[in-house]
Amino acid sequence: MALIVYLTINVGDTMQRIGISPGFDFIWRSTNFEIGESTIPFTASDPYIRAIVVGLINTLKVSLFGCVLATFLGVMIGVAGLSGNLLLAALVRWYIEVVRNTPLLLQLFFWISLAKAFPAPRQAVALLGSVYLTNRGVYIPSIKAEDLAMGLPAAFAATTAVYAVMLLVLFRAGKFNGRNAILAGLGILSAVAAVLHLGRIDITFEAPALSGFNIKGGYNLSPEFAALLTGLVVKFSAVIAEIVRAGIQSVNRGQWEAARSLGLHNGQIMHLVVLPQALRVITPLTTSSYLDLTKDSSLAVAIGYPDLVSIVNTTANTTGQSLEALLILIGTYLAINLTVSALMNEYNRRVALKGMAR
């Protein structure tokens, strides 16, 4: 405590000597800099607090999509690695070994170099006729809502929030499982569709298309965002694949034999018997992977993606309030990770209780 008091006094004296007033009043001053990629409107005249919110949203966006996609890909790779196909198992093993033993920063440099090496829009690489890879980003199909007062991003955020609340209610009631989660999602989608129909709001599906020297329509993922998301998904899908493999192998082989004696095929055995028991091993380690993915998204500053770290660093450089900016950064990441950890621990507790009850 004495050391902390001494350091605090020393920092305060130093800041006053160089003409910097300690405090967080600077967050209300104008930024006077632009942000290359923003989900919400932002101009150079907006205050620093809004710039920090923009960085937070960018970080949450890439972390959320990264966790979902890495989990989906990791489960598929983990299950494929245990298949009887020797070639597939060997490919999975090589994939995991190469990805896990390569630094994430090096992988990000590779993906951003690849993203910048794509051709111009006029010579864009087309995938499935609706996805275009260009040096200006990745163009994917999008959904647009006409005459929607709150806007499609806000409507999506509101729907996601309602779905999260429903999942929390299922957690509290002890009825959370894959079937109930899917039914809750279908119920929300049905309710949203009914509201849009009654409100006579037109929902259109827009695919990108080449128009002159550019691509119009659809949604554009910037090269930096696409490279960061790809790097995080590839890296942590390999980690989650190993976790899934370990969880599945922790289930006694007698469970497989008993399920086969009941006439279940391998898909049913995996879904109904093995994975529910393996979750007790998979969930805690996957939680750590989610936290690591969220923290490692801060490497975005190395490839130019304006995440929370990048914007807070710019804030510290332009205001001189380095200590306050660092405290904001620490507090924000701490809040994010504690929230994710609390949600995953609650889910893990439900899984563990069901396992003990059996």
Side-chain angles (χ1 to χ4, degrees):
M1 291 298 296
L3 179 61
I4 293 175
V5 171
Y6 169 75
L7 292 176
T8 303
I9 295 174
N10 185 56
V11 169
D13 293 341
T14 302
M15 293 178 69
Q16 289 182 356
R17 186 169 61 252
I18 61 179
I20 299 176
S21 300
F24 293 90
D25 294 338
F26 70 93
I27 63 175
W28 307 111
R29 299 203 298 262
S30 297
T31 56
N32 296 321
F33 62 80
E34 296 287 348
I35 298 178
E37 184 173 345
S38 175
T39 305
I40 61 176
F42 180 84
T43 62
S45 60
D46 288 327
Y48 283 100
I49 184 64
R50 189 174 182 86
I52 294 172
V53 171
V54 170
L56 175 61
I57 294 175
N58 287 346
T59 294
L60 292 177
K61 180 172 65 174
V62 74
S63 299
L64 176 61
F65 285 116
C67 288
V68 173
L69 295 177
T71 301
F72 178 75
L73 184 60
V75 171
M76 291 183 60
I77 293 174
V79 173
L82 296 174
S83 68
N85 189 317
L86 296 181
L87 177 60
L88 180 60
L91 290 175
V92 168
R93 175 49 51 190
W94 274 102
Y95 171 84
I96 292 175
E97 292 298 329
V98 170
V99 172
R100 292 193 65 190
N101 291 285
T102 307
L104 177 57
L105 185 59
L106 180 61
Q107 294 182 34
L108 292 179
F109 286 148
F110 169 78
W111 292 115
I112 191 62
S113 300
L114 182 63
K116 296 294 181 65
F118 284 133
R122 191 172 179 82
Q123 294 83 31
V125 179
L127 301 178
L128 303 176
S130 58
V131 177
Y132 291 87
L133 305 180
T134 74
N135 56 7
R136 298 181 186 177
V138 180
Y139 291 82
I140 61 176
S142 64
I143 300 175
K144 289 190 175 182
E146 301 294 338
D147 301 325
L148 187 60
M150 64 188 307
L152 194 59
F156 176 77
T159 304
T160 304
V162 172
Y163 184 55
V165 171
M166 291 191 68
L167 294 183
L168 182 59
V169 172
L170 291 175
F171 270 133
R172 296 286 185 180
K175 298 180 179 179
F176 180 83
N177 53 48
R179 178 175 176 273
N180 289 339
I182 293 174
L183 289 177
L186 292 176
I188 291 177
L189 291 178
S190 300
V192 170
V195 171
L196 295 176
H197 177 71
L198 294 175
R200 300 183 181 277
I201 297 174
D202 295 328
I203 301 295
T204 58
F205 179 81
E206 185 181 58
L210 183 62
S211 176
F213 294 95
N214 203 352
I215 295 177
K216 294 184 179 181
Y219 186 78
N220 179 25
L221 304 178
S222 68
E224 294 79 15
F225 176 82
L228 177 61
L229 182 61
T230 303
L232 292 174
V233 170
V234 169
K235 177 71 174 183
F236 286 94
S237 66
V239 176
I240 293 176
E242 284 290 84
I243 294 172
V244 171
R245 179 190 61 80
I248 292 175
Q249 290 183 332
S250 69
V251 178
N252 193 291
R253 293 298 303 178
Q255 298 287 323
W256 289 82
E257 297 170 2
R260 288 194 181 97
S261 68
L262 295 175
L264 300 179
H265 57 73
N266 287 341
Q268 291 175 320
I269 295 173
M270 182 66 67
H271 173 65
L272 300 173
V273 179
V274 177
L275 282 181
Q277 298 182 70
L279 282 176
R280 286 174 288 176
V281 176
I282 293 173
T283 302
L285 298 175
T286 304
T287 302
S288 298
S289 297
Y290 289 165
L291 300 179
D292 289 340
L293 187 151
T294 302
K295 290 181 289 187
D296 286 350
S297 67
S298 61
L299 292 175
V301 67
I303 60 174
Y305 179 69
D307 73 325
L308 181 64
V309 174
S310 175
I311 292 177
V312 170
N313 281 341
T314 304
T315 300
N317 292 332
T318 55
T319 62
Q321 312 283 155
S322 302
L323 180 62
E324 291 86 344
L326 183 61
L327 291 176
I328 291 174
L329 192 61
I330 292 174
T332 305
Y333 271 104
L334 189 61
I336 294 172
N337 284 291
L338 289 179
T339 302
V340 173
S341 180
L343 293 175
M344 293 299 295
N345 286 338
E346 178 66 17
Y347 174 69
N348 182 53
R349 188 173 69 86
R350 296 294 181 179
V351 174
L353 286 174
K354 290 180 181 180
M356 292 172 61
R358 292 173 183 167

